[in-house]
Amino acid sequence: MPRGDRRRVKLTDIAARTGFTVGTISKALQNKEGISHETRESIMKAAKEIGYIANSQAGGLRSGSSKTVAIIVSDIANPLFAIEIKICVEELEKHGYRAIVMGTEERPEREEQAVVSALNKNVDGVLLCPSQQSMAGIRLLQQNGMPFVLMGRRFEEELDADYVVCDDEKGGYLAGEYLAQLGHRRILVITAGPYISSSRERLAGFKRAMEERGIALDPSLILQSDVSAHDSNRMIDALLQGGPDFTAIFAFSDYIAWEVIYALNRHGLQVPRDVSVVGFDDVQSHMCFPPPLTTVHFPKRTISTKSVELLMERIRRSDETPARLVLDTYLVVRETAASPANKA
């Protein structure tokens, strides 16, 4: 469905595609008797292909607006998303909207289910931090003409959509530059999946900082964490069996950085005396708890408020050119990084 078409897929669209009457289609989709297996299968297949979603609230929404927005994020347990969700909810309330919050655990099938649920509840728009392992959920949004804005992650080439992200590449560069300036040469990098744009760009920035300083990267020190499984503890445990072969760690997120620090402490290693740690997100700019983490900051309030503003504009006018906002990042130096006492 072309951008700007706000019409949801209807039973008449399935009728036009299959040749069956609306009544037959309605019975088939409700699994009522009197419909042959072949007919039911044909109708279900067509409904899926064109992105039909039943609207459970259609009868009670004569105005065509529910004044609700779905916020779909990858991990509602992550403090970063908690901060952004809180701000989004506050901003939506200013516009007279309520929020429905759903988490996907970075699983594409759960993301698709969340989108189906949002469409079923007749929301007016969606704020989405995508898992990026599948386009199925996003295709459903497009097929049903649902306004949406991507938060924190983007599909640079393959998707014509609004997004608000931070300058992840610059942030990765700043983290690498700082650790190199401190004298670190053996740096463990814990990334997320390469399909996640922010992970890919942060690693690219870090690599650029190393290359500019002539520091060779050991591929064995670039590890991929399953961010939904919170497996950084296990990864650090395995690496420390023979003692640390690195003097610093750059973590994809503050959440992972704190997991790493916990694991290091369990092995009797102190941060930053034995190992330096740099995170990404600067959660402590909104939440105060130890340890004071050296990290890359980006404006979480701005990302959230801009995302809401964009979505409100898309709900009013959906035919505008997509807005692509990239917000600045900078390094916040606290207490978890220092010069290596003994260079590995």
Side-chain angles (χ1 to χ4, degrees):
M1 184 173 290
R3 182 180 176 85
D5 190 343
R6 292 283 298 279
R7 186 178 65 84
R8 287 188 58 166
V9 178
K10 299 179 180 179
L11 295 182
T12 52
D13 298 311
I14 304 175
R17 189 180 184 92
T18 63
F20 295 110
T21 66
V22 169
T24 297
I25 292 167
S26 178
K27 288 180 180 179
L29 293 176
Q30 295 179 63
N31 204 28
K32 291 184 176 180
E33 295 180 358
I35 306 296
S36 70
H37 175 74
E38 292 76 13
T39 297
R40 193 186 312 278
E41 289 295 308
S42 177
I43 290 172
M44 296 295 287
K45 181 175 182 290
K48 183 175 182 180
E49 287 175 348
I50 64 176
Y52 174 78
I53 302 295
N55 183 356
S56 65
Q57 301 184 20
L61 292 168
R62 304 305 181 191
S63 70
S65 174
S66 64
K67 302 301 285 185
T68 58
V69 163
I71 304 174
I72 303 174
V73 299
S74 57
D75 185 0
I76 57 177
N78 188 323
L80 169 65
F81 291 118
I83 292 167
E84 293 181 336
I85 289 169
K86 182 177 185 294
I87 297 169
C88 285
V89 169
E90 291 171 352
E91 292 301 310
L92 287 167
E93 287 176 350
K94 294 176 183 178
H95 293 275
Y97 282 79
R98 294 173 294 112
I100 301 170
V101 179
M102 291 176 275
T104 67
E105 299 298 324
E106 297 285 1
R107 290 162 51 189
E109 67 275 12
R110 288 195 60 170
E111 179 175 300
E112 186 175 359
Q113 291 166 4
V115 168
V116 169
S117 179
L119 291 169
N120 183 262
K121 294 180 187 305
N122 198 48
V123 301
D124 294 334
V126 175
L127 296 171
L128 172 65
C129 178
S131 68
Q132 298 196 288
Q133 297 180 71
S134 168
M135 295 285 286
I138 290 173
R139 281 197 295 270
L140 278 174
L141 292 172
Q142 292 176 316
Q143 288 168 331
N144 285 274
M146 177 61 65
F148 68 95
V149 174
L150 302 181
M151 293 177 56
R153 299 176 184 177
R154 57 182 171 178
F155 297 85
E156 188 59 49
E157 302 296 335
E158 59 267 48
L159 181 64
D160 184 30
D162 299 293
Y163 63 68
V164 186
V165 300
C166 73
D167 193 338
D168 290 295
E169 200 275 345
K170 178 183 176 181
Y173 178 88
L174 293 173
E177 177 186 53
Y178 181 65
L179 289 172
Q181 288 174 346
L182 289 174
H184 294 281
R185 297 297 179 266
R186 298 280 296 173
I187 304 171
L188 173 66
V189 182
I190 302 180
T191 72
Y195 48 83
I196 296 176
S197 61
S198 52
S199 174
R200 189 170 59 249
E201 292 170 17
R202 291 171 195 183
L203 179 59
F206 178 86
K207 287 182 175 179
R208 180 165 66 88
M210 297 297 104
E211 289 168 2
E212 288 183 4
R213 286 153 185 79
I215 300 173
L217 282 174
D218 183 345
S220 69
L221 292 181
I222 300 177
L223 303 181
Q224 180 179 321
S225 172
D226 182 345
V227 292
S228 64
H230 309 299
D231 63 349
S232 301
N233 271 310
R234 177 186 56 77
M235 295 170 62
I236 294 297
D237 287 342
L239 282 172
L240 293 177
Q241 293 303 314
D245 188 29
F246 49 85
T247 62
I249 298 173
F250 171 44
F252 166 71
S253 68
D254 286 355
Y255 200 178
I256 290 176
W258 287 315
E259 288 185 334
V260 163
I261 291 171
Y262 176 76
L264 291 169
N265 289 340
R266 283 195 296 104
H267 285 268
L269 297 171
Q270 294 186 21
V271 176
R273 187 195 67 185
D274 301 308
V275 179
S276 289
V277 177
V278 174
F280 201 115
D281 292 336
D282 193 17
V283 167
Q284 286 172 316
S285 63
H286 289 258
M287 297 178 174
C288 297
F289 41 83
L293 182 66
T294 294
T295 185
V296 176
H297 173 93
F298 68 87
K300 291 163 284 298
R301 178 165 294 278
T302 305
I303 278 188
S304 301
T305 56
K306 289 293 184 183
S307 295
V308 170
E309 288 173 10
L310 269 179
L311 186 61
M312 294 296 101
E313 182 61 27
R314 290 296 163 259
I315 290 172
R316 289 190 294 268
R317 296 182 59 185
S318 60
D319 58 349
E320 296 292 311
T321 302
R324 299 178 173 181
L325 305 182
V326 181
L327 306 180
D328 198 17
T329 52
Y330 59 84
L331 189 73
V332 177
V333 177
R334 294 194 179 100
E335 299 177 14
T336 60
S339 297
N342 296 298
K343 296 182 181 181

